Amino acid sequence: MLDPPLGPYDHVQGHADAPLTLLKYGDFECPYCRDAAPVIEKVQQELGERLRFAFRHFPLHELHPHALAAATASEMAALEGRFWPMHASLYAPGPPRLTQADLREHALNAGVDPDKVVWPRTRAVEDRVEADFNSGVRSGVRGTPTLYVNGEVYRGPVSVERLVDALLSE
């Protein structure tokens, strides 16, 4: 089960009262998360207002050395209401670009002051990323991406058809 359930602290796209919910625990450097991003966008397009999509951080920093910096950069963008534009820039097609210089560029793409998304300024939001990570551990997340469909862990293939089927069958 998802612990805690979705709440006001989460990054959510869609209406709070949407009947369907898809949550992703993700890592901006993870190749599988990167592959899942356009699939999830298509699911959102297909289900429209019936779906709310949420993202929680689960940076696997031992495998992906830039994941934590990218997560904190996105949280700094969130402080300015720009989480989703930063999320989109960080998951842009192609190999991940997540050095400090790259994060500054992503900030510009997202409409955020580039000096705000790099260390040491990002120390201010490290607790927020850690809280997401800890919620993932409590929820049974072992790797990324881990998806939850209507509050239950999803174990199927990450394809538009299968995700839509899972969302509609719950």
Side-chain angles (χ1 to χ4, degrees), residues 116-169:
K116 291 185 177 180
V117 302
V118 293
W119 197 87
R121 301 275 298 269
T122 55
R123 288 185 298 184
V125 293
E126 288 173 353
D127 288 350
R128 171 66 169 83
V129 173
E130 185 177 357
D132 275 4
F133 187 88
N134 289 338
S135 79
V137 171
R138 288 191 309 274
S139 299
V141 174
R142 303 265 187 268
T144 56
T146 296
L147 302 174
Y148 283 77
V149 169
N150 300 322
E152 300 288 330
V153 69
Y154 171 77
R155 300 201 190 280
V158 181
S159 71
V160 174
E161 182 179 320
R162 293 293 296 272
L163 282 171
V164 168
D165 286 348
L167 284 156
L168 294 175
S169 69

Side-chain angles (χ1 to χ4, degrees), residues 17 20 23 25 28-29 35-36 40-41 43 54 56 58 64 82 95 100 112 114 116 135 141 151 157 164 168-169:
D17 60 351
L20 308 172
L23 179 137
Y25 278 95
F28 289 112
E29 196 168 357
D35 290 345
I40 291 169
E41 282 181 34
V43 170
R56 288 183 181 169
F58 203 79
H64 305 131
R82 306 297 297 163
Q100 294 289 289
V112 177
K116 291 185 177 180
S135 79
V141 174
V164 168
L168 294 175
S169 69

Side-chain angles (χ1 to χ4, degrees), residues 24-134:
K24 174 184 175 182
Y25 278 95
D27 170 323
F28 289 112
E29 196 168 357
C30 168
Y32 305 108
C33 292
R34 298 182 66 74
D35 290 345
V39 171
I40 291 169
E41 282 181 34
K42 289 177 183 164
V43 170
Q44 288 178 282
Q45 291 167 1
E46 188 165 325
L47 295 175
E49 292 187 6
R50 295 181 289 169
L51 178 70
R52 67 179 171 162
F53 170 63
F55 180 90
R56 288 183 181 169
H57 300 283
F58 203 79
L60 300 171
H61 63 275
E62 291 178 7
L63 295 172
H64 305 131
H66 299 99
L68 183 57
T72 56
S74 72
E75 284 303 319
M76 290 302 288
L79 293 177
E80 295 187 23
R82 306 297 297 163
F83 175 81
W84 291 109
M86 188 69 159
H87 176 275
S89 186
L90 290 166
Y91 275 137
R97 297 181 303 95
L98 303 174
T99 66
Q100 294 289 289
D102 294 329
L103 294 175
R104 289 173 178 276
E105 189 176 318
H106 289 298
L108 287 172
N109 293 341
V112 177
D113 177 349
D115 291 332
K116 291 185 177 180
V117 302
V118 293
W119 197 87
R121 301 275 298 269
T122 55
R123 288 185 298 184
V125 293
E126 288 173 353
D127 288 350
R128 171 66 169 83
V129 173
E130 185 177 357
D132 275 4
F133 187 88
N134 289 338

